[in-house]
Amino acid sequence: MFRKIWKQLKITAIVIVIIICIPRSILPLSQQSEDIEYYLKLNESEDRLHEYKDDRVALELKLEQLELINRNRRRFGARPLKLDILASRVANKISREAAENEYIGHWNMAGEKPYHRYAFAGGYDHVSENVYAEWSKELLENSTDKIAFMMRTAQETFMEERPPNDGHKQTVIAKDHNFVGIGYHLTGKQFRYYEEYIDRYFEFGEIPSEVRPGKKTAITIKTDNKTFLYFMIVYYEKFPGPLTPKEITRRESYDDYTGEQYQQIYAWDLAKYRNGSTYTIPLSFKKEGLYYIQIFSDKKEYTKPASLSTKGRTPYSGIVIKVRN
């Protein structure tokens, strides 16, 4: 009797393991159907970068890839991500340019870094980028199955990295990310794949894309009522210049800031601009160029001077403002 029961228990356990490990693509389609319909609606409502809009097949591929990314994140205690439509179009755009011009890197041919490209498309959140490329002497097979295979290979390649050379893996599993944009492009002998990880914790109101030197302006930020603005750093840089494909490929990782800090605003000064959960922060910029704004938050509000540090903290904004006459 015990042996029979034990056999049934073993069968049940095996079935459970199979269900847990089975790929999303061969599970019942109800959840997948709900997901694709949800993202198709988001896709239709997004007007920015319309020429890089995904069709249904591309969205389905990206949702399968999203499940793989989330499985990898769960292994390291990181919460699952949602697919971001705008960031996916930003990723599609750079993937196409990189594949058609046969380069790999974090810059585009206009000399723009990931935070430039996302901001110029209309994004205000903080972004981190992963890049993968495949190329061949022969034409690559342009099929859904082949593209899905290369996308999975990209993610597996990132996750196989080991310290200290594991920057892509750390980007995948960083716990502050809550959205990701996925983009790819296959043309001829070239395949490019980009991931744009997003940290979205604020709502942004009035954010000027361009102002004149010396003109007073302001940015509006709303928190979740549970956190307060902690620190704000404004970095200055000159307008980027064009790069050749070879120059881009020679470059490796990118800095998520510049060497020139234009302004710092501390928590107690930021508190003066708060009305409820909304902050309206006045700004002005002296000279032409780009101003990259990183904003940090904290569960505590500081209204008096104290010791502050951004070490180990993730900025929750990636605002870029152009300043020129």
Side-chain angles (χ1 to χ4, degrees):
M1 182 67 177
F2 176 80
R3 288 183 179 178
K4 288 184 179 179
I5 293 173
W6 176 240
K7 184 177 181 180
Q8 291 174 348
L9 289 172
K10 287 198 293 183
I11 292 172
T12 302
I14 291 169
V15 170
I16 291 171
V17 170
I18 291 172
I19 290 173
I20 291 172
C21 296
I22 203 167
R24 174 193 175 100
S25 58
I26 57 176
L27 283 172
L29 298 177
S30 59
Q31 185 60 50
Q32 293 184 54
S33 177
E34 290 176 7
D35 286 349
I36 189 63
E37 295 304 323
Y38 169 74
Y39 283 108
L40 281 169
K41 289 179 181 178
L42 288 182
N43 199 35
E44 288 302 317
S45 64
E46 178 57 73
D47 294 327
R48 294 168 291 185
L49 291 185
H50 191 267
E51 63 272 37
Y52 298 97
K53 178 182 178 181
D54 287 313
D55 59 17
R56 185 185 185 103
V57 172
L59 279 177
E60 288 174 341
L61 278 173
K62 292 182 180 186
L63 289 178
E64 289 182 7
Q65 187 75 350
L66 177 66
E67 179 57 31
L68 174 58
I69 291 170
N70 283 335
R71 286 203 301 271
N72 288 332
R73 287 175 60 80
R74 282 194 290 269
R75 287 166 48 203
F76 292 87
R79 61 179 167 176
L81 308 177
K82 295 180 180 179
L83 186 68
D84 187 79
I85 298 299
L86 177 62
S88 292
R89 293 184 187 179
V90 171
N92 286 344
K93 183 178 181 180
I94 185 65
S95 295
R96 183 191 298 183
E97 183 185 285
E100 291 179 347
N101 292 278
E102 301 184 7
Y103 71 77
I104 176 172
H106 292 290
W107 284 258
N108 65 8
M109 292 176 66
E112 297 165 351
K113 294 181 183 180
Y115 62 82
H116 294 134
R117 292 185 270 108
Y118 182 62
F120 296 161
Y124 299 129
D125 312 295
H126 184 253
V127 61
S128 305
E129 183 176 84
N130 275 348
V131 183
Y132 175 84
E134 283 196 28
W135 55 90
S136 172
K137 293 181 179 179
E138 307 295 333
L139 292 177
L140 290 168
E141 177 189 336
N142 194 348
S143 69
T144 301
D145 288 343
K146 179 62 175 178
I147 291 171
F149 174 77
M150 289 190 288
M151 290 169 68
R152 290 194 300 271
T153 301
Q155 218 356 250
E156 290 165 1
T157 301
F158 297 154
M159 297 307 295
E160 288 170 357
E161 293 178 342
R162 294 292 179 266
N165 301 311
D166 61 342
H168 296 96
K169 179 179 178 179
Q170 292 303 319
T171 297
V172 174
I173 64 177
K175 294 186 177 181
D176 281 336
H177 300 329
N178 47 15
F179 289 85
V180 63
I182 299 171
Y184 65 85
H185 191 77
L186 190 156
T187 180
K189 304 174 184 179
Q190 302 286 329
F191 174 77
R192 296 295 182 274
Y193 172 80
Y194 281 73
E195 295 173 344
E196 313 292 342
Y197 289 88
I198 304 298
D199 306 302
R200 179 170 297 146
Y201 293 88
F202 301 143
E203 291 182 26
F204 296 92
E206 295 297 324
I207 305 288
S209 59
E210 186 172 325
V211 297
R212 292 184 176 182
K215 183 178 180 181
K216 293 182 179 179
T217 188
I219 59 175
T220 302
I221 300 156
K222 185 176 182 180
T223 66
D224 58 3
N225 277 316
K226 299 177 182 178
T227 57
F228 302 90
L229 298 193
Y230 175 80
F231 204 82
M232 177 171 150
I233 306 174
V234 183
Y235 294 96
Y236 169 80
E237 58 189 299
K238 295 180 179 179
F239 289 110
L243 296 171
T244 67
K246 288 184 178 180
E247 288 174 328
I248 297 170
T249 301
R250 282 198 297 266
R251 298 186 177 198
E252 297 182 357
S253 60
Y254 66 97
D255 290 326
D256 187 37
Y257 49 83
T258 70
E260 184 175 343
Q261 290 189 16
Y262 172 76
Q263 187 176 10
Q264 296 181 349
I265 304 181
Y266 299 92
W268 48 90
D269 291 319
L270 291 168
K272 299 173 185 177
Y273 304 127
R274 181 174 69 85
N275 182 9
S277 60
T278 301
Y279 295 75
T280 302
I281 305 168
L283 293 169
S284 65
F285 308 100
K286 294 181 179 179
K287 58 183 179 181
E288 289 189 316
L290 298 180
Y291 293 81
Y292 177 41
I293 302 173
Q294 292 188 345
I295 303 172
F296 302 81
S297 69
D298 195 271
K299 293 181 180 179
K300 176 183 175 181
E301 183 175 34
Y302 295 80
T303 57
K304 296 180 180 179
S307 177
L308 304 181
S309 173
T310 59
K311 185 177 181 179
R313 293 177 181 261
T314 300
Y316 292 153
S317 73
I319 301 166
V320 179
I321 298 177
K322 299 176 183 178
V323 177
R324 56 185 163 197
N325 287 305

